[in-house]
Amino acid sequence: MTLNPRAAPLRYAIGIAAMVVFIGLLVGLLLFNFNSGIAVIAGVLIAAAVIALVGFITRRSRKLLWLLLPAVLILGLASVVCLSVFVFQPHMSQYPNIICPIASYRIVAVPDSSQLKGFQVEEYVTLVDGVEYKPAETWTPAMVDGRPGYRLPAQPVAVTSRGFLLKEALIASSVTCCESALVEIKDIPLDAFYAAVYARDLQHYPYVDTETITWDPGSDDIRFSYIVPPFQILRPVFAPLMGASSLSQWLLGLIALLGTFVFTPVVKPILVEFAQKWLKNKLRLGDDPART
């Protein structure tokens, strides 16, 4: 049964609005977090499967429907939870019986270009006074914050995509323990920096159209994310979507699941009508002798 727009304009408008909002939200989530977008898609697919199964059972036996409906709903919710992405707690290096020879550890990441396609990392350390420690042969003596220390060999940073517009950089630490640490991202485009994992005392130092970011890493897991230039200029517009992408995946999947249940009676007739019109046009073009 098709839906006549003139017969039910309000219902038609609600259905169109629901589809536009869903597509916009899905695209926005995929821009900043692939996992969040996948969770939403999973929620919709699970809800669609449940609706199809309920419809099939209803046509066969209503008693069987009431028996299986609770199990189907529980299975759907459990599937969304299983598809969620768990965030691991920070792992701190602890050496209760070992004296750490590194007094300070400084990581400086410099962008390869203004497009932030990669970074080069330089590491600097100073040693604890009175502790015997033989530095690696690749460590070069250098002055670090006014103290004698060492410069470690430069290394590239592994950059991966969290979304179409959000990148994540992972810095592999060369030091297993230290008394104090500092991460510095130099001359990154203004407003491109998004967040750092377990960051403490996060500081921004802007200058014209760039800024330097520093923080105290709270674990051995040193990662930070940033918006791909030049799209950081639209950060105020993206702010709601970036906040939504930070929600837990199982919650987004659950919202998509429930939203599909609620709006299916309104959206399904519109999709059926569009599909029928599309098929009729295809069949009409196929039967047109002028095109053969």
Side-chain angles (χ1 to χ4, degrees):
M1 181 177 180
T2 61
L3 179 65
N4 187 347
R6 290 174 294 181
L10 180 60
R11 187 178 182 184
Y12 192 85
I14 292 174
I16 293 294
M19 289 190 293
V20 171
V21 169
F22 169 75
I23 294 174
L25 178 61
L26 179 59
V27 172
L29 290 175
L30 290 174
L31 289 177
F32 297 102
N33 195 328
F34 289 133
N35 292 333
S36 296
I38 292 173
V40 169
I41 295 174
V44 172
L45 293 178
I46 292 171
V50 170
I51 292 171
L53 180 60
V54 169
F56 175 79
I57 296 175
T58 302
R59 290 191 295 269
R60 298 297 187 272
S61 172
R62 290 188 177 273
K63 290 183 178 180
L64 183 61
L65 170 65
W66 291 111
L67 291 175
L68 294 182
L69 184 57
V72 171
L73 292 177
I74 293 174
L75 180 62
L77 293 175
S79 299
V80 173
V81 174
C82 291
L83 288 170
S84 65
V85 178
F86 297 97
V87 179
F88 294 99
Q89 296 297 319
H91 172 71
M92 301 297 294
S93 295
Q94 297 181 356
Y95 300 88
N97 299 320
I98 300 177
I99 298 177
C100 183
I102 307 299
S104 66
Y105 176 43
R106 184 174 181 179
I107 301 172
V108 180
V110 181
D112 286 344
S113 66
S114 60
Q115 299 301 314
L116 303 184
K117 294 183 179 180
F119 295 82
Q120 286 292 325
V121 165
E122 296 179 350
E123 300 169 281
Y124 301 87
V125 299
T126 61
L127 303 181
V128 176
D129 295 333
V131 176
E132 293 186 3
Y133 179 75
K134 183 179 180 181
E137 294 181 356
T138 55
W139 291 16
T140 305
M143 295 298 295
V144 181
D145 297 329
R147 293 184 56 189
Y150 295 89
R151 176 180 176 178
L152 281 61
Q155 60 171 317
V157 173
V159 176
T160 58
S161 296
R162 290 296 301 268
F164 289 113
L165 296 183
L166 193 68
K167 299 287 187 178
E168 182 180 70
L170 171 63
I171 299 177
S173 174
S174 301
V175 173
T176 56
C177 68
C178 62
E179 294 182 352
S180 65
L182 181 72
V183 180
E184 179 180 357
I185 312 298
K186 298 186 65 175
D187 299 329
I188 192 172
L190 191 65
D191 293 330
F193 180 85
Y194 179 54
V197 177
Y198 313 126
R200 298 180 298 197
D201 192 23
L202 183 67
Q203 300 292 332
H204 294 250
Y205 300 97
Y207 178 72
V208 190
D209 58 349
T210 63
E211 62 180 335
T212 294
I213 313 295
T214 65
W215 72 89
D216 175 8
S219 77
D220 297 336
D221 185 6
I222 304 174
R223 287 178 289 150
F224 65 93
S225 56
Y226 58 91
I227 303 172
V228 177
F231 297 101
Q232 79 276 7
I233 62 176
L234 299 176
R235 184 166 183 159
V237 179
F238 291 146
L241 294 174
M242 295 170 71
S245 68
S246 299
L247 295 175
S248 61
Q249 280 76 41
W250 78 266
L251 179 59
L252 288 171
L254 180 60
I255 293 174
L257 183 82
L258 298 177
T260 304
F261 284 141
V262 172
F263 288 102
T264 291
V266 179
V267 173
K268 183 179 178 180
I270 298 175
L271 294 177
V272 171
E273 182 178 355
F274 287 163
Q276 289 177 343
K277 289 181 179 179
W278 182 80
L279 287 174
K280 287 180 181 179
N281 291 333
K282 287 293 183 180
L283 293 175
R284 188 180 299 113
L285 291 175
D287 295 336
D288 190 352
R291 298 179 63 88
T292 59

